Amino acid sequence: QAVEFWTRQLTEEGAAANHKSLLPLSQQDYVGFSLSTLGLVMAAGGGIGGGGILVPIYILILRFPAKHAIPLSNVTVFGGAIANTLLNASKRHPLADRPLIDWDMILIME
């Protein structure tokens, strides 16, 4: 019963729609994952989240409904932010004797 609940999703019209299983991955999945990864790398390099790139990829290529693509994009961007923080937390500024991340500014922005 729980498996049936998780394999069925409701569309905006309220009708049950079955989604394909995760495995085996299709060519469409590989293209979507590759474009998502490329988009996130570019977004992380530019210092932006990347949600504006991910939502259209999830909707147009991976065929998620907007109801699912938007929260999935939020979780993906959050995971990227956590990864960037962990990777940059111990780094030092190249010109000044201080950490690369300005923790005081983060507290002020809170």
Side-chain angles (χ1 to χ4, degrees), residues 93-109:
H93 191 278
L95 303 176
D97 186 27
R98 61 180 175 87
L100 183 62
I101 299 175
D102 189 353
W103 299 104
D104 294 331
M105 182 61 73
I106 293 173
L107 290 174
I108 290 171
M109 291 174 63

Side-chain angles (χ1 to χ4, degrees), residues 31-40 52-64 69:
V31 169
F33 294 151
S34 299
L35 288 175
S36 298
T37 302
L38 180 65
L40 285 173
I53 297 170
L54 291 175
V55 172
I57 291 172
Y58 290 162
I59 292 173
L60 298 174
I61 296 173
L62 294 176
R63 302 285 185 206
F64 282 106

Side-chain angles (χ1 to χ4, degrees), residues 5 7 14 17 20-21 35-36 51 63 73 75 78 90:
F5 173 77
T7 57
K20 75 173 206 63
S21 63
L35 288 175
S36 298
R63 302 285 185 206
S73 170
V75 169
F78 179 68
S90 62

